[in-house]
C-alpha cells in the first residue's frame, strides 16, 4: 500500500460484531483509510457515503485484479467466473441471462408461495415457547425460496449452509475452504448435468437460445445465486428483528401501523446492513478517492454499513427511525453490480416481518444482548443465532 505504515490500522475480531464504531472513527479521520482486514488482507476501506457511491461507479475500480483471469481448470477459478466478479462486457452477458427472473414484476408472482412458506414456518414455531429465530425462520425462508427458484433440492440445505458459511468466513483454514468450496462446486456440476439430461421448470434448467453461457459459467452462476440467497436475507430478518427488539418503541410503532412495513424494511436495510462491505474491487490504474492515493492492483473495500451511517447523509445515523426517508441507502450496493436479488429480498423481508409481528403478539430476547455472537466475516454482518421467547 502507498500509505505510510503509521497510518495503517489493523482491524481485529471485534470488527465482526461492531463494524460501526470502527467505521465512525475512521470516517472522522479519513473517509478512505488504509487497513489490514481481520484475516490479513491489506485494503483501502471506504467509509464516507459520497466516497462510497463514487467508488462503486468508478470504472477504474474493477472486479478482476489487473492481468488476472480465473482458471476454469481449478475449483477456485470456477468460483470466480460469476457476474459479481466480472467486468464489462462479460458482466452484462452473465447478468442478462437471469435478469428477467428477478425483476420486481416477476418476483411479485412469488408472493403467494413466499407467504405460504412463511405461514408453515410460523406454524412450526407456534408450538414452541423459545426458538432460535435464525434456524427456525430467518434461514429456512429465503433458502427455500432460492432453492425452489433454482431447482435445487431443499433437503440439501444443511450441506449448503455449512459450505456457504465456510466460503464467506474470514477465519476458515485454507484446507476447510478448499474442501467446502470443492464440495459445493462438485454438487453443482452434477446437478447441472442432471438438469441438462432432464430439464425442469426452474432457473438452472433454463438456457438462452444462443447458449451464451459456458457450462463453467453456469456452475459459477448457480454458486453465486445460492450463496447470495443463503447469506443475505437471513441477516436482514435476523439483524432486523434484533434491532426491533432492542428498540421497543419502533417495534410498537410497527405493530400499531403495519402500513409502515415497506419503509421499515428500507430503514432496517440502512440500519442493519446484512452485507457489511461490498466485495473486493481492484485499482486498474493509480487513482485518488477521498484523499487516498491508491496504487494499481490495490484492494478497495466499500464499507456499505459505513456509508449508511454517515451523518452527512443520514442525520442521527445510529438512530433507528422506521419513518425516516432512507432512500439512497447502499445496503444493496450501487452501480452496475447493484443487487440482482433486491426485489426478492424486499418482498421476503416484508412478508417475514409482517408475518412474525402478526403471529406473535410478544417476542423477547431469550439471552442478554451481549451474549449474542456474530459470524466471523467481513463481508456478511450476521448473528450465529438469535434465541427469542414467543407468545401469541
Ligand atoms: C437483504 C438481502 C440482500 C442484500 C443486503 C444484498 C446485497 C447485495 C450487495 C451489496 C451486492 C453488491 C455487491 C458488490 O457490489 O460488491 C449484491 C449483489 C448481488 N446480489 Fe444481493 N443482496 C441481498 C439478497 C440477494 C438475493 C436474495 C439474491 C438472489 C438472487 C441476490 C443476488 C445477488 C447477485 C446475483 C448479485 C451480483 C450482481 C452483479 O454483480 O451484477 N442478492 N447484493
Amino acid at each position: 500500500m502507498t500509505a505510510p505504515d503509521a497510518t495503517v490500522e489493523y482491524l481485529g475480531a471485534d470488527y465482526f460484531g461492531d463494524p460501526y464504531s470502527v467505521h465512525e472513527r475512521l470516517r472522522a479521520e479519513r473517509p478512505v483509510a488504509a487497513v489490514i482486514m481481520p484475516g490479513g488482507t491489506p485494503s483501502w476501506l471506504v467509509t464516507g457515503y459520497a466516497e462510497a457511491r463514487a467508488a462503486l461507479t468508478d470504472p477504474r475500480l474493477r472486479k478482476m485484479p489487473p492481468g488476472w483471469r480465473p482458471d476454469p481448470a481449478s475449483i477456485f477459478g470456477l468460483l470466480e467466473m460469476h457476474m459479481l466478479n466480472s467486468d464489462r462486457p462479460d458482466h452484462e452477458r452473465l447478468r442478462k441471462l437471469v435478469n428477467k427472473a428477478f425483476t420486481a414484476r416477476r418476483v411479485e408472482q412469488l408472493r403467494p408461495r413466499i407467504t405460504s412458506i412463511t405461514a408453515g414456518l410460523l406454524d412450526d414455531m407456534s408450538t414452541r415457547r423459545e426458538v432460535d429465530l435464525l434456524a427456525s425462520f430467518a434461514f429456512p425462508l429465503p433458502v427455500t425460496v432460492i432453492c425452489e427458484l433454482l431447482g435445487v433440492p431443499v433437503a440439501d440445505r444443511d450441506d449448503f449452509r455449512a459450505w456457504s458459511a465456510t466460503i464467506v468466513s474470514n477465519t476458515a483454514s485454507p484446507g476447510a475452504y478448499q474442501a467446502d468450496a470443492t464440495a459445493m462446486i462438485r454438487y453443482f456440476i452434477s446437478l447441472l448435468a442432471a438438469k441438462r439430461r432432464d430439464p425442469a421448470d426452474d432457473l438452472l434448467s433454463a438456457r438462452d437460445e444462443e447458449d451464451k453461457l459456458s457450462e463453467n459459467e453456469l456452475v459459477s452462476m448457480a454458486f453465486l445465486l445460492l450463496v447470495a440467497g443463503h447469506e443475505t436475507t437471513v441477516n436482514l430478518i435476523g439483524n432486523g428483528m434484533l434491532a426491533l427488539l432492542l428498540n421497543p418503541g419502533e417495534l410498537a410503532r410497527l405493530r400499531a401501523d403495519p402500513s409502515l412495513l415497506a419503509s421499515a424494511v428500507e430503514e432496517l436495510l440502512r440500519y442493519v446492513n446484512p452485507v457489511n462491505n461490498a466485495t473486493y474491487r481492484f485499482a486498474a490504474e493509480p487513482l485518488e478517492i477521498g484523499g487516498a492515493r491508491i496504487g494499481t492492483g490495490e484492494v478497495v473495500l466499500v464499507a456499505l454499513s459505513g456509508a449508511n451511517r454517515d451523518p452527512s447523509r443520514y442525520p442521527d445515523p445510529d438512530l433507528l427511525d422506521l419513518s425516516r426517508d432512507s432512500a439512497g441507502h447502499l445496503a444493496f450496493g450501487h452501480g452496475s453490480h447493484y443487487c440482482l436479488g433486491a426485489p426478492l429480498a424486499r418482498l421476503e423481508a416484508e412478508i417475514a416481518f409482517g408475518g412474525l409481528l402478526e403471529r406473535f403478539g410478544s417476542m423477547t430476547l431469550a439471552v442478554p444482548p451481549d451474549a449474542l455472537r456474530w459470524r466471523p466475516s467481513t463481508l456478511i454482518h450476521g448473528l450465529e443465532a438469535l434465541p427469542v421467547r414467543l407468545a401469541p
Side-chain angles (χ1 to χ4, degrees):
M1 310 207 87
T2 43
D5 280 352
T7 63
V8 176
E9 168 137 353
Y10 284 74
L11 303 186
D14 53 340
Y15 179 71
F16 300 134
D18 178 20
Y20 298 110
S21 53
V22 174
H23 294 155
E24 187 183 343
R25 185 167 41 75
L26 288 176
R27 191 193 309 108
E29 290 165 15
R30 42 194 198 281
V32 181
V35 299
I36 308 291
M37 297 304 282
T41 307
S43 313
W44 291 98
L45 193 61
V46 184
T47 52
Y49 181 86
E51 292 79 7
R53 265 180 92 97
L56 290 171
T57 47
D58 192 320
R60 297 166 299 176
L61 289 177
R62 301 180 64 90
K63 300 302 317 236
M64 293 250 179
W68 184 86
R69 297 289 296 174
D71 171 10
S74 89
I75 287 291
F76 298 107
L78 274 179
L79 291 185
E80 307 286 348
M81 296 176 74
H82 52 69
M83 70 183 95
L84 187 49
N85 272 347
S86 307
D87 298 299
R88 296 178 69 178
D90 286 337
H91 174 254
E92 278 85 345
R93 181 176 57 86
L94 295 169
R95 183 159 170 142
K96 214 170 142 201
L97 184 82
V98 283
N99 219 357
K100 283 200 289 270
F102 290 97
T103 60
R105 216 162 56 114
R106 279 290 287 280
V107 159
E108 184 54 36
Q109 294 167 1
L110 300 174
R111 185 182 284 273
R113 179 65 191 135
I114 299 175
T115 306
S116 128
I117 299 168
T118 303
L121 295 168
L122 293 173
D123 288 346
D124 291 346
M125 280 162 52
S126 314
T127 59
R128 286 172 289 159
R129 303 271 295 272
E130 192 175 314
V131 298
D132 170 8
L133 195 71
L134 292 198
S136 304
F137 185 77
F139 175 71
L141 172 58
V143 166
T144 307
V145 173
I146 196 72
C147 282
E148 289 186 2
L149 260 178
L150 294 179
V152 170
V154 177
D156 298 334
R157 72 183 185 200
D158 289 341
D159 286 339
F160 303 133
R161 187 183 193 180
W163 297 334
S164 182
T166 306
I167 289 164
V168 301
S169 160
N170 288 72
T171 52
S173 69
Y177 181 91
Q178 168 110 22
D180 283 12
T182 307
M184 197 154 180
I185 290 294
R186 290 226 169 99
Y187 179 89
F188 275 122
I189 290 173
S190 66
L191 187 70
L192 281 161
K195 289 197 182 286
R196 188 143 266 193
R197 284 192 304 272
D198 187 12
D201 183 19
D202 58 46
L203 217 55
L204 293 188
S205 300
R207 294 284 195 279
D208 59 344
E209 292 89 63
E210 298 147 55
D211 235 2
K212 286 189 200 112
L213 261 71
S214 69
E215 201 65 24
N216 285 343
E217 286 170 338
L218 263 174
V219 169
S220 202
M221 166 103 76
F223 159 78
L224 170 67
L225 292 175
L226 200 75
V227 171
H230 265 67
E231 300 293 352
T232 52
T233 315
V234 50
N235 297 321
L236 174 55
I237 300 171
N239 301 357
M241 207 58 230
L242 175 63
L244 291 171
L245 294 175
L246 296 177
N247 290 273
E250 290 306 281
L251 176 57
R253 229 174 132 193
L254 187 55
R255 281 192 190 282
D257 181 5
S259 73
L260 271 180
L261 211 49
S263 81
V265 167
E266 293 313 304
E267 169 67 347
L268 288 170
L269 278 159
R270 179 197 75 81
Y271 186 79
V272 306
N273 299 288
V275 174
N276 178 29
N277 292 311
T279 50
Y280 287 179
R281 281 160 171 80
F282 300 89
E285 58 188 84
L287 70 145
E288 193 168 328
I289 325 173
R293 290 214 305 277
I294 301 172
T296 304
E298 290 180 353
V299 173
V300 175
L301 270 179
V302 177
L304 304 173
S305 69
N308 283 346
R309 298 241 189 148
D310 182 340
S312 71
R313 178 65 181 80
Y314 298 103
D316 218 347
D318 296 327
L319 185 82
L320 179 71
D321 173 0
L322 298 184
S323 58
R324 99 159 60 217
D325 179 5
S326 340
H329 69 70
L330 300 185
F332 289 122
H334 178 59
S336 61
H337 292 279
Y338 180 83
C339 178
L340 176 80
L344 176 59
R346 285 185 163 117
L347 181 63
E348 289 173 337
E350 207 182 296
I351 295 172
F353 287 116
L356 283 169
L357 299 190
E358 195 183 291
R359 185 70 69 100
F360 303 110
S362 155
M363 186 185 295
T364 48
L365 264 182
V367 295
D370 57 10
L372 295 168
R373 296 281 159 263
W374 294 85
R375 292 178 49 190
S377 168
T378 51
L379 173 67
I380 297 303
H381 185 54
L383 292 160
E384 298 275 11
L386 181 57
V388 292
R389 282 197 200 96
L390 302 168

